[in-house]
Amino acid sequence: MTELSQLRETLDGQRLWDDVQALATIGALEPKGIRRLALDAQDNRARLWLAEQGRSLGCEVFFDALGNLFLRREGQDASLAPLLIGSHMDSQPLAGAHDGALGVLAGLAVFRTLQEQGIEHRRPLEIVSWTNEEGARFAPGASGSSWFAGQREYDDIIAALDGDGVRFGDALHECLSLLEDNGLVYRPAPFVPYAFLELHIEQGPVLEQLGKPVGVVSGIQGVNWYRIEVEGVANHAGTTPRQARRDAFDGAHELVSALKAATREQDDDLRFTIGKFSLWPDAVNTIAQRATFTIDLRHPTQEVLDVLDSQFHVLAEREWSGCEVTLEVTSRVAPVAFPERLLAVLRESAHSVCAEAPELVSGAFHDAIHLAQVCPTAMLFTPCRAGISHHPDEHIERKDADIAVRALAEAASRLLG
Amino acid sequence: MTELSQLRETLDGQRLWDDVQALATIGALEPKGIRRLALDAQDNRARLWLAEQGRSLGCEVFFDALGNLFLRREGQDASLAPLLIGSHMDSQPLAGAHDGALGVLAGLAVFRTLQEQGIEHRRPLEIVSWTNEEGARFAPGASGSSWFAGQREYDDIIAALDGDGVRFGDALHECLSLLEDNGLVYRPAPFVPYAFLELHIEQGPVLEQLGKPVGVVSGIQGVNWYRIEVEGVANHAGTTPRQARRDAFDGAHELVSALKAATREQDDDLRFTIGKFSLWPDAVNTIAQRATFTIDLRHPTQEVLDVLDSQFHVLAEREWSGCEVTLEVTSRVAPVAFPERLLAVLRESAHSVCAEAPELVSGAFHDAIHLAQVCPTAMLFTPCRAGISHHPDEHIERKDADIAVRALAEAASRLLG
């Protein structure tokens, strides 16, 4: 009989790779890529596929009120809170095979090994796939995990509409009926896990550049989103002298220069992105009356976000090229620092499978950001080529995944024991 | 019998104002504004209305192959080339009553006075209304005048499609049939006028700010249009460190700063406008892969345009924030300087009706830019409130129009004698 401490060695890397390929056939696009929008037919097929893997291993499969799917392996002490491992299986409209899926399937690989090797553990283990992490069909994302963690209300979540006007609640109802028809067990209420672990592709270039197969994620950056409107006066591009202009583009340009200057004083962890920018009326020979743009501002510490937030507000009170500015905060998510005790476990587990595992802060959101509010939570990253995700070109190396999943397995064995 | 030299004094300002109001009922919008798109039903009704004014004065009315409409008053020497006065009657989709219309009706006011007072003149006079100056329905504009002046080909002009897919040629055919059915005389070929005069609202703020009712237009600015693409790499706003970014918005921002710096060395006649700006994929949390923007660059002298043109090309060859730049010239129109001899006539004529008539360069295009290629051409401007045009709020003062039309009448009397 295999010991729990042998978990990481007995884990079958090829089997994980096969699972990745099998799940990637669901919602596969030609010539390549994946499309499993939250609660669509392919996303629901993925749920049934995962449930089938669990049932064929002889374990219990549950779903909850948000369509989150759980595979449970009982521990010797069923009264203990379970260790939860997972991620999500929904995707962006034109995505790769590993964003989210790898985290669920790595959990499944741990699960398979425990079951097939008959390894016993004290604490129950549950593998989870969260509903609508991406927010690509229904915004915002992380619906399943945020509801589970008590961060968002059920009624708000189900009211969201997709681009075709379909209500989240109606798509969810269809999904839950399908799961019920397939004999899965409804377990309505969230619970408090012992801890939550999530393995995810990095979606950034750091690990690849360092040549490391696995990194320990010490936290998730906080993010502020801003929507800024600069209001000038539309006028004829040819007849309006410089002094008579209140050009919203000019105002926005000067304001952006000042905003960028403010961020330059901050450290290299800062991310400042203007991803949307538009002019109205948007005609080549008309001075813009209005410029509208967004800022995505991220940093691992709340203090830095707060300092910049107040600087941005001060800048927005001034006139720029004679134009008035309106600054609106459209979203605020506080940074999360994962608990040191769990990081220590991940660090040691990572070191057990590779010489060096860099520590990094996640720039992207993950379901873990919500789970961190209810239980000790931490993440592992594995590199993806050129940091590309949300794109069919997303790619990971099997050898990296193999090492990363062993680090996850080692952490699981330490936490389950 | 009234002498030609008494023309400006005998001209009936109230009658001009009544004509403006009468024409403004054709294509009138609720609660205010005008919509007479080139060759639409209202624009054609305006032609019939103008023709009717001419016929009721007992003069000849012609139309040509582009639907340009001419009212002709014979001179004592019919062999002389006629003085041509006019502008256009088509409008932007949501326009005021004076852009174009004032220039045609000011010509008509001169015409009326000559006819009703039985004033004789040596040289023939023709009042013209040019087809599709605005280019709002069929782009580009100034179809009638550019064809008349041999600047554009008939076949190119009639091939243009409007937003509903209607061909310019088909709309023109309908218009010409209507004019024929109403007994107007088809005179197919262009001719070389003795001179062309156009009174127009300024569409800028200069005359209003100076408190002057009339200005002499010494020329029309040249304009270069550019389309610039900055190509970076789309990436995740949260996960991509600063050093790893090739942010097309950043590149565009830096490039714009450099372009603006280049223009700052030029004189106050320069107009530099970025009226269109867009990002792709235009998502709040995605680093832009592509920024696309336009430049509308104007100046009265070709040398300045050429200097900046080469500076812009040099700047576009550099990398900006790691992004490559493509700069395309989408249009070039050379500046026009009106001939000094005709300007002297306008200057003296303006001074005969008001103490001071500023000289200014037109920042907007007008039919005059094309006529200047075939005959001595010049323009007068009269102020419009706050420089606003192409908008129902366009407004002129009757007392300004009254003085401006008298300056035009004085110039006509000097040129017809």
Side-chain angles (χ1 to χ4, degrees):
Chain A
M1 184 167 157
T2 315
E3 294 295 317
L4 184 55
S5 60
Q6 295 169 280
L7 176 61
R8 74 159 200 265
E9 297 153 32
T10 40
L11 189 143
D12 183 352
Q14 181 60 47
R15 188 61 198 271
L16 166 60
W17 203 246
D18 292 345
D19 279 344
V20 169
Q21 308 313 318
L23 181 54
T25 64
I26 302 177
L29 302 172
E30 282 302 329
K32 64 176 177 173
I34 299 286
R35 181 185 173 95
R36 285 194 301 264
L37 294 176
L39 299 173
D40 76 358
Q42 303 301 333
D43 187 40
N44 290 340
R45 276 184 63 202
R47 278 186 183 75
L48 294 180
W49 178 88
L50 180 62
E52 190 45 43
Q53 307 310 305
R55 287 201 292 203
S56 70
L57 288 166
C59 74
E60 291 173 296
V61 182
F62 303 102
F63 63 96
D64 68 14
L66 260 285
N68 298 318
L69 199 73
F70 300 86
L71 275 55
R72 181 175 171 98
R73 187 166 201 258
E74 215 42 85
Q76 290 154 332
D77 185 346
S79 71
L80 292 177
L83 171 67
L84 199 56
I85 300 178
S87 190
H88 62 94
M89 296 193 297
D90 69 314
S91 83
Q92 290 284 325
L94 189 56
H98 314 96
D99 177 353
L102 183 70
V104 174
L105 299 178
L108 180 63
V110 169
F111 204 92
R112 278 192 200 288
T113 313
L114 292 169
Q115 193 76 351
E116 289 168 358
Q117 302 292 325
I119 299 174
E120 300 236 321
H121 42 88
R122 197 167 64 93
R123 182 174 295 285
L125 170 67
E126 298 204 6
I127 305 308
V128 63
S129 176
W130 303 112
T131 292
N132 186 33
E133 193 272 345
E134 294 290 0
R137 180 182 176 193
F138 297 105
S143 307
S145 55
S146 60
W147 169 79
F148 183 89
Q151 302 296 300
R152 289 188 62 220
E153 295 294 332
Y154 177 82
D155 288 347
D156 293 341
I157 292 170
I158 62 166
L161 301 177
D162 72 5
D164 297 327
V166 177
R167 223 171 122 263
F168 186 108
D170 293 335
L172 177 61
H173 179 75
E174 241 178 70
C175 169
L176 300 191
S177 301
L178 181 75
L179 298 179
E180 210 153 38
D181 293 351
N182 278 268
L184 303 187
V185 178
Y186 180 53
R187 189 178 63 174
F191 55 92
V192 176
Y194 171 63
F196 175 62
L197 295 181
E198 183 172 7
L199 169 65
H200 205 281
I201 59 170
E202 182 197 334
Q203 303 180 272
V206 176
L207 290 175
E208 187 189 40
Q209 282 169 11
L210 297 172
K212 302 298 172 194
V214 66
V216 174
V217 183
S218 60
I220 301 182
Q221 292 182 347
V223 58
N224 292 355
W225 279 5
Y226 301 90
R227 185 176 180 279
I228 293 160
E229 250 184 47
V230 180
E231 188 79 19
V233 176
N235 231 322
H236 193 295
T239 60
T240 316
R242 284 192 202 183
Q243 322 82 267
R245 290 180 178 224
R246 288 167 57 197
D247 181 332
F249 178 82
D250 280 349
H253 182 77
E254 285 183 26
L255 174 56
V256 166
S257 295
L259 292 164
K260 281 163 110 43
T263 66
R264 238 168 254 131
E265 291 158 25
Q266 299 297 336
D267 61 79
D268 268 355
D269 284 338
L270 192 79
R271 309 273 180 269
F272 172 89
T273 306
I274 293 178
K276 285 171 80 85
F277 190 108
S278 62
L279 295 179
W280 189 87
D282 202 39
V284 60
N285 55 351
T286 302
I287 295 166
Q289 174 165 333
R290 186 160 53 244
T292 308
F293 62 97
T294 58
I295 297 173
D296 177 302
L297 181 77
R298 306 193 189 209
H299 197 271
T301 68
Q302 189 63 50
E303 292 68 27
V304 171
L305 291 174
D306 290 346
V307 164
L308 284 171
D309 186 75
S310 64
Q311 286 182 288
F312 288 5
H313 278 88
V314 168
L315 290 173
E317 273 165 29
R318 284 178 43 193
E319 275 201 354
W320 297 90
S321 293
C323 304
E324 303 239 325
V325 174
T326 318
L327 179 143
E328 184 193 350
V329 182
T330 54
S331 172
R332 279 190 210 274
V333 179
V336 165
F338 294 139
E340 183 47 39
R341 196 180 64 82
L342 199 54
L343 289 178
V345 173
L346 287 187
R347 232 175 259 135
E348 289 160 23
S349 302
H351 291 160
S352 75
V353 293
C354 66
E356 201 192 335
E359 209 147 318
L360 62 175
V361 174
S362 175
F365 294 154
H366 295 288
D367 291 307
I369 205 169
H370 297 294
L371 271 294
Q373 305 304 316
V374 287
C375 69
T377 294
M379 297 183 71
L380 292 171
F381 274 169
T382 193
C384 56
R385 189 175 59 196
I388 293 168
S389 65
H390 295 187
H391 194 282
D393 287 343
E394 175 201 288
H395 175 84
I396 68 173
E397 295 295 331
R398 195 195 133 171
K399 63 175 174 39
D400 294 333
D402 207 71
I403 294 172
V405 71
R406 280 173 216 285
L408 180 73
E410 177 62 22
S413 69
R414 291 174 187 226
L415 294 167
L416 289 170
Chain B
M1 187 171 156
T2 314
E3 294 293 316
L4 183 56
S5 60
Q6 294 169 280
L7 175 62
R8 75 160 198 267
E9 296 153 33
T10 39
L11 189 142
D12 182 353
Q14 180 60 46
R15 188 60 197 271
L16 166 61
W17 203 246
D18 291 346
D19 279 344
V20 169
Q21 308 313 317
L23 181 54
T25 63
I26 302 176
L29 302 172
E30 282 301 328
K32 64 175 177 174
I34 299 287
R35 180 186 174 94
R36 285 194 302 265
L37 294 177
L39 300 173
D40 76 357
Q42 303 301 333
D43 187 39
N44 290 340
R45 274 184 64 203
R47 278 186 183 76
L48 293 181
W49 178 89
L50 180 62
E52 190 46 42
Q53 306 310 304
R55 287 202 292 204
S56 69
L57 288 167
C59 74
E60 292 173 297
V61 182
F62 303 103
F63 64 96
D64 68 14
L66 260 286
N68 298 317
L69 200 71
F70 300 86
L71 276 54
R72 180 175 172 98
R73 186 166 201 259
E74 214 42 86
Q76 290 154 330
D77 186 347
S79 72
L80 293 178
L83 171 67
L84 199 56
I85 300 178
S87 190
H88 61 94
M89 296 193 297
D90 69 312
S91 83
Q92 291 284 325
L94 189 56
H98 314 97
D99 177 353
L102 183 70
V104 174
L105 298 178
L108 180 63
V110 169
F111 205 92
R112 276 193 202 287
T113 312
L114 292 169
Q115 193 76 353
E116 290 169 357
Q117 302 293 324
I119 299 175
E120 302 235 320
H121 42 89
R122 198 167 65 93
R123 183 175 294 285
L125 169 67
E126 296 203 9
I127 305 309
V128 61
S129 176
W130 302 111
T131 293
N132 186 33
E133 192 273 345
E134 295 290 0
R137 180 181 176 194
F138 297 104
S143 307
S145 55
S146 62
W147 170 79
F148 182 90
Q151 302 295 300
R152 291 187 62 221
E153 296 294 330
Y154 177 82
D155 287 347
D156 293 343
I157 292 170
I158 63 166
L161 301 178
D162 72 6
D164 296 327
V166 177
R167 223 171 123 263
F168 186 108
D170 294 335
L172 177 62
H173 179 74
E174 240 179 73
C175 169
L176 300 190
S177 301
L178 181 74
L179 297 179
E180 210 153 37
D181 293 350
N182 278 268
L184 303 186
V185 179
Y186 180 54
R187 189 178 62 175
F191 55 91
V192 176
Y194 172 63
F196 175 62
L197 296 181
E198 183 172 8
L199 169 65
H200 205 282
I201 59 170
E202 182 197 335
Q203 303 180 272
V206 176
L207 290 175
E208 187 189 40
Q209 281 169 10
L210 297 172
K212 302 297 172 195
V214 64
V216 174
V217 183
S218 60
I220 300 181
Q221 292 183 345
V223 58
N224 291 355
W225 278 5
Y226 301 91
R227 185 176 180 280
I228 292 160
E229 249 183 48
V230 180
E231 188 79 20
V233 176
N235 231 323
H236 193 295
T239 60
T240 316
R242 284 192 202 184
Q243 322 81 266
R245 290 179 178 224
R246 288 169 57 198
D247 182 332
F249 177 82
D250 280 349
H253 182 79
E254 283 184 27
L255 174 56
V256 167
S257 295
L259 292 164
K260 281 162 107 49
T263 66
R264 240 170 252 129
E265 290 158 27
Q266 298 298 336
D267 60 78
D268 268 356
D269 284 339
L270 192 79
R271 309 273 180 271
F272 173 88
T273 306
I274 293 178
K276 287 171 79 87
F277 190 108
S278 62
L279 296 179
W280 189 86
D282 201 39
V284 59
N285 54 352
T286 302
I287 295 166
Q289 173 165 334
R290 187 161 52 245
T292 308
F293 62 96
T294 59
I295 298 173
D296 176 302
L297 181 77
R298 305 191 190 210
H299 196 273
T301 68
Q302 189 63 50
E303 293 68 27
V304 171
L305 291 174
D306 289 346
V307 165
L308 285 171
D309 186 74
S310 65
Q311 285 182 290
F312 288 4
H313 277 89
V314 168
L315 290 173
E317 272 164 31
R318 284 178 44 192
E319 275 201 355
W320 297 90
S321 293
C323 303
E324 303 238 325
V325 174
T326 318
L327 179 143
E328 184 192 348
V329 183
T330 55
S331 171
R332 278 190 212 274
V333 179
V336 165
F338 294 140
E340 182 48 39
R341 196 180 66 83
L342 199 54
L343 289 177
V345 173
L346 286 187
R347 233 174 258 134
E348 288 160 24
S349 302
H351 291 162
S352 75
V353 293
C354 66
E356 202 191 336
E359 210 146 319
L360 63 176
V361 174
S362 176
F365 294 154
H366 295 287
D367 291 306
I369 206 169
H370 297 294
L371 271 293
Q373 305 302 317
V374 287
C375 68
T377 294
M379 296 183 72
L380 291 171
F381 273 170
T382 193
C384 55
R385 190 176 58 197
I388 294 168
S389 65
H390 296 189
H391 195 282
D393 287 343
E394 176 200 288
H395 176 83
I396 66 172
E397 296 295 331
R398 193 194 137 173
K399 63 176 172 43
D400 294 334
D402 207 71
I403 294 172
V405 71
R406 280 173 215 284
L408 180 74
E410 177 62 23
S413 69
R414 290 174 187 228
L415 295 166
L416 289 170

